[in-house]
Amino acid sequence: VQLVESGGGSVQAGGSLRLSCAAFGFTYSVNCMGWFRQAAGKEREGIAAIENDGSTSYADSVKGRFTVSNDNAKNTLYLQMDSLEPEDTAMYYCAAEDLYCSGTYPREYWGQGTQVTVSS
């Protein structure tokens, strides 16, 4: 499974961005997809995940501001990011896993990342 992110960029605080992650290959095996981010000097953290049944989970830092969704027909995962804050500045990665996440985050397949920069 190959994952390709797009949609990153620069935005002012309070603005919005939508990230996309296109999946290629044996996508029928994937049961969970999600998003991670890694800010400079910090560890990579899981922020959102979605299972094939549509159930979602979010990190407290993004809950209420970010929304994860998928379009199975297009094999594409999305992350709608609203009310962005400078603290959201990071490299954002798409991830997927054949197993169900069951409240955790997928880690089997990774995209190359897309940069999001939020200015104050």
Side-chain angles (χ1 to χ4, degrees), residues 2 9-10 14-15 22-23 25 27 34 38 41 49 51 55-56 65 67 72 84 88 95 102 108 111 116 120:
Q2 294 83 43
S10 297
T27 57
Q38 187 168 18
E51 309 262 21
S55 59
T56 57
R65 300 187 299 122
T67 303
N72 290 327
L84 282 162
D88 295 317
S102 301
E108 186 169 1
V116 172
S120 57

Side-chain angles (χ1 to χ4, degrees), residues 1 6 11 18 38 45 47 52 76 80 84 90 106 110 119-120:
V1 176
S6 61
V11 64
R18 188 176 81 155
Q38 187 168 18
E45 62 169 342
I47 57 171
N52 269 355
T76 302
Q80 177 66 42
L84 282 162
W110 292 91
S119 58
S120 57

Side-chain angles (χ1 to χ4, degrees), residues 88-101:
D88 295 317
T89 295
M91 184 70 79
Y92 283 71
Y93 297 90
C94 173
E97 186 154 331
D98 291 345
L99 298 176
Y100 287 98
C101 286

Side-chain angles (χ1 to χ4, degrees), residues 21-80:
C21 172
F24 303 92
F26 295 103
T27 57
Y28 64 87
S29 67
V30 170
N31 284 295
C32 179
M33 297 187 74
W35 293 93
F36 286 73
R37 68 184 181 185
Q38 187 168 18
K42 296 187 177 181
E43 294 186 355
R44 190 174 299 188
E45 62 169 342
I47 57 171
I50 183 167
E51 309 262 21
N52 269 355
D53 64 1
S55 59
T56 57
S57 59
Y58 297 93
D60 289 342
S61 58
V62 306
K63 196 173 296 182
R65 300 187 299 122
F66 291 9
T67 303
V68 63
S69 62
N70 59 7
D71 184 334
N72 290 327
K74 296 181 179 180
N75 290 328
T76 302
L77 178 74
Y78 302 99
L79 184 68
Q80 177 66 42

